[in-house]
mmCIF file of all heavy atoms in Angstrom:
data_model
loop_
_atom_site.group_PDB
_atom_site.id
_atom_site.type_symbol
_atom_site.label_atom_id
_atom_site.label_comp_id
_atom_site.label_asym_id
_atom_site.label_seq_id
_atom_site.Cartn_x
_atom_site.Cartn_y
_atom_site.Cartn_z
ATOM 1 N N THR W 1478 3.759 23.510 15.285
ATOM 2 C CA THR W 1478 3.315 22.113 15.339
ATOM 3 C C THR W 1478 4.180 21.300 16.290
ATOM 4 O O THR W 1478 3.679 20.440 17.029
ATOM 5 C CB THR W 1478 3.366 21.475 13.932
ATOM 6 O OG1 THR W 1478 2.581 22.252 13.039
ATOM 7 C CG2 THR W 1478 2.834 20.055 13.968
ATOM 8 N N VAL W 1479 5.462 21.571 16.297
ATOM 9 C CA VAL W 1479 6.378 20.871 17.198
ATOM 10 C C VAL W 1479 6.107 21.281 18.635
ATOM 11 O O VAL W 1479 6.040 20.428 19.543
ATOM 12 C CB VAL W 1479 7.844 21.166 16.825
ATOM 13 C CG1 VAL W 1479 8.790 20.445 17.793
ATOM 14 C CG2 VAL W 1479 8.130 20.736 15.387
ATOM 15 N N ARG W 1480 5.935 22.564 18.865
ATOM 16 C CA ARG W 1480 5.683 23.054 20.229
ATOM 17 C C ARG W 1480 4.422 22.415 20.803
ATOM 18 O O ARG W 1480 4.385 21.981 21.967
ATOM 19 C CB ARG W 1480 5.553 24.587 20.232
ATOM 20 C CG ARG W 1480 6.805 25.309 19.814
ATOM 21 C CD ARG W 1480 6.780 26.782 20.176
ATOM 22 N NE ARG W 1480 5.701 27.537 19.592
ATOM 23 C CZ ARG W 1480 5.730 28.115 18.386
ATOM 24 N NH1 ARG W 1480 6.805 27.977 17.620
ATOM 25 N NH2 ARG W 1480 4.712 28.820 17.933
ATOM 26 N N TRP W 1481 3.377 22.367 19.982
ATOM 27 C CA TRP W 1481 2.110 21.820 20.470
ATOM 28 C C TRP W 1481 2.211 20.330 20.752
ATOM 29 O O TRP W 1481 1.738 19.843 21.770
ATOM 30 C CB TRP W 1481 1.000 22.102 19.463
ATOM 31 C CG TRP W 1481 -0.218 21.241 19.663
ATOM 32 C CD1 TRP W 1481 -0.751 20.356 18.784
ATOM 33 C CD2 TRP W 1481 -1.039 21.165 20.824
ATOM 34 N NE1 TRP W 1481 -1.854 19.747 19.315
ATOM 35 C CE2 TRP W 1481 -2.047 20.223 20.573
ATOM 36 C CE3 TRP W 1481 -1.018 21.811 22.057
ATOM 37 C CZ2 TRP W 1481 -3.029 19.907 21.510
ATOM 38 C CZ3 TRP W 1481 -1.997 21.493 22.998
ATOM 39 C CH2 TRP W 1481 -2.979 20.557 22.714
ATOM 40 N N ASN W 1482 2.853 19.591 19.869
ATOM 41 C CA ASN W 1482 2.973 18.156 20.071
ATOM 42 C C ASN W 1482 3.802 17.831 21.310
ATOM 43 O O ASN W 1482 3.512 16.862 22.016
ATOM 44 C CB ASN W 1482 3.577 17.489 18.833
ATOM 45 C CG ASN W 1482 2.538 17.170 17.780
ATOM 46 O OD1 ASN W 1482 1.698 16.303 17.965
ATOM 47 N ND2 ASN W 1482 2.565 17.886 16.678
ATOM 48 N N ALA W 1483 4.793 18.631 21.579
ATOM 49 C CA ALA W 1483 5.582 18.432 22.793
ATOM 50 C C ALA W 1483 4.738 18.753 24.023
ATOM 51 O O ALA W 1483 4.768 18.032 25.028
ATOM 52 C CB ALA W 1483 6.827 19.319 22.760
ATOM 53 N N ALA W 1484 3.961 19.827 23.942
ATOM 54 C CA ALA W 1484 3.135 20.256 25.083
ATOM 55 C C ALA W 1484 2.130 19.196 25.491
ATOM 56 O O ALA W 1484 1.821 19.034 26.681
ATOM 57 C CB ALA W 1484 2.421 21.559 24.737
ATOM 58 N N ARG W 1485 1.603 18.455 24.548
ATOM 59 C CA ARG W 1485 0.574 17.464 24.847
ATOM 60 C C ARG W 1485 1.062 16.371 25.792
ATOM 61 O O ARG W 1485 0.253 15.742 26.480
ATOM 62 C CB ARG W 1485 0.064 16.824 23.553
ATOM 63 C CG ARG W 1485 -0.771 17.753 22.714
ATOM 64 C CD ARG W 1485 -1.551 16.994 21.665
ATOM 65 N NE ARG W 1485 -0.672 16.330 20.701
ATOM 66 C CZ ARG W 1485 -1.130 15.612 19.679
ATOM 67 N NH1 ARG W 1485 -2.426 15.452 19.507
ATOM 68 N NH2 ARG W 1485 -0.280 15.050 18.831
ATOM 69 N N ARG W 1486 2.368 16.152 25.850
ATOM 70 C CA ARG W 1486 2.888 15.064 26.676
ATOM 71 C C ARG W 1486 3.605 15.546 27.930
ATOM 72 O O ARG W 1486 4.009 14.729 28.757
ATOM 73 C CB ARG W 1486 3.853 14.209 25.839
ATOM 74 C CG ARG W 1486 3.174 13.500 24.676
ATOM 75 C CD ARG W 1486 4.150 12.526 24.019
ATOM 76 N NE ARG W 1486 4.618 11.534 24.987
ATOM 77 C CZ ARG W 1486 5.840 11.009 24.969
ATOM 78 N NH1 ARG W 1486 6.710 11.374 24.046
ATOM 79 N NH2 ARG W 1486 6.192 10.106 25.860
ATOM 80 N N LEU W 1487 3.731 16.851 28.073
ATOM 81 C CA LEU W 1487 4.478 17.383 29.209
ATOM 82 C C LEU W 1487 3.575 17.750 30.383
ATOM 83 O O LEU W 1487 2.411 18.109 30.191
ATOM 84 C CB LEU W 1487 5.260 18.627 28.774
ATOM 85 C CG LEU W 1487 6.512 18.350 27.937
ATOM 86 C CD1 LEU W 1487 7.025 19.641 27.316
ATOM 87 C CD2 LEU W 1487 7.607 17.701 28.793
ATOM 88 N N PRO W 1488 4.099 17.693 31.615
ATOM 89 C CA PRO W 1488 3.335 18.129 32.790
ATOM 90 C C PRO W 1488 2.968 19.605 32.669
ATOM 91 O O PRO W 1488 3.668 20.392 32.010
ATOM 92 C CB PRO W 1488 4.314 17.898 33.949
ATOM 93 C CG PRO W 1488 5.272 16.867 33.438
ATOM 94 C CD PRO W 1488 5.426 17.149 31.971
ATOM 95 N N LYS W 1489 1.915 19.974 33.333
ATOM 96 C CA LYS W 1489 1.377 21.339 33.224
ATOM 97 C C LYS W 1489 2.411 22.406 33.550
ATOM 98 O O LYS W 1489 2.453 23.464 32.904
ATOM 99 C CB LYS W 1489 0.168 21.484 34.150
ATOM 100 C CG LYS W 1489 -0.515 22.843 34.055
ATOM 101 C CD LYS W 1489 -1.695 22.919 34.990
ATOM 102 C CE LYS W 1489 -1.261 22.904 36.441
ATOM 103 N NZ LYS W 1489 -2.395 23.097 37.365
ATOM 104 N N LYS W 1490 3.253 22.176 34.533
ATOM 105 C CA LYS W 1490 4.206 23.208 34.960
ATOM 106 C C LYS W 1490 5.137 23.648 33.831
ATOM 107 O O LYS W 1490 5.650 24.771 33.832
ATOM 108 C CB LYS W 1490 5.023 22.712 36.152
ATOM 109 C CG LYS W 1490 5.940 21.542 35.844
ATOM 110 C CD LYS W 1490 6.721 21.115 37.076
ATOM 111 C CE LYS W 1490 7.661 19.943 36.766
ATOM 112 N NZ LYS W 1490 8.434 19.546 37.969
ATOM 113 N N HIS W 1491 5.339 22.775 32.866
ATOM 114 C CA HIS W 1491 6.245 23.107 31.762
ATOM 115 C C HIS W 1491 5.557 23.863 30.632
ATOM 116 O O HIS W 1491 6.218 24.579 29.872
ATOM 117 C CB HIS W 1491 6.877 21.831 31.198
ATOM 118 C CG HIS W 1491 7.805 21.143 32.136
ATOM 119 N ND1 HIS W 1491 8.971 21.700 32.599
ATOM 120 C CD2 HIS W 1491 7.734 19.907 32.720
ATOM 121 C CE1 HIS W 1491 9.591 20.868 33.409
ATOM 122 N NE2 HIS W 1491 8.856 19.772 33.506
ATOM 123 N N ILE W 1492 4.264 23.696 30.487
ATOM 124 C CA ILE W 1492 3.581 24.243 29.300
ATOM 125 C C ILE W 1492 2.906 25.583 29.546
ATOM 126 O O ILE W 1492 2.362 26.182 28.628
ATOM 127 C CB ILE W 1492 2.553 23.248 28.759
ATOM 128 C CG1 ILE W 1492 1.395 23.054 29.741
ATOM 129 C CG2 ILE W 1492 3.211 21.912 28.442
ATOM 130 C CD1 ILE W 1492 0.281 22.185 29.189
ATOM 131 N N LEU W 1493 2.944 26.075 30.790
ATOM 132 C CA LEU W 1493 2.274 27.343 31.094
ATOM 133 C C LEU W 1493 2.806 28.487 30.237
ATOM 134 O O LEU W 1493 2.079 29.431 29.914
ATOM 135 C CB LEU W 1493 2.418 27.681 32.574
ATOM 136 C CG LEU W 1493 1.672 26.760 33.543
ATOM 137 C CD1 LEU W 1493 1.957 27.156 34.992
ATOM 138 C CD2 LEU W 1493 0.168 26.786 33.269
#
Side-chain angles (χ1 to χ4, degrees):
T1478 304
V1479 179
R1480 297 195 300 273
W1481 163 241
N1482 275 291
R1485 289 195 296 181
R1486 296 188 59 214
L1487 285 168
K1489 183 180 68 175
K1490 66 180 181 179
H1491 293 297
I1492 67 174
L1493 292 177

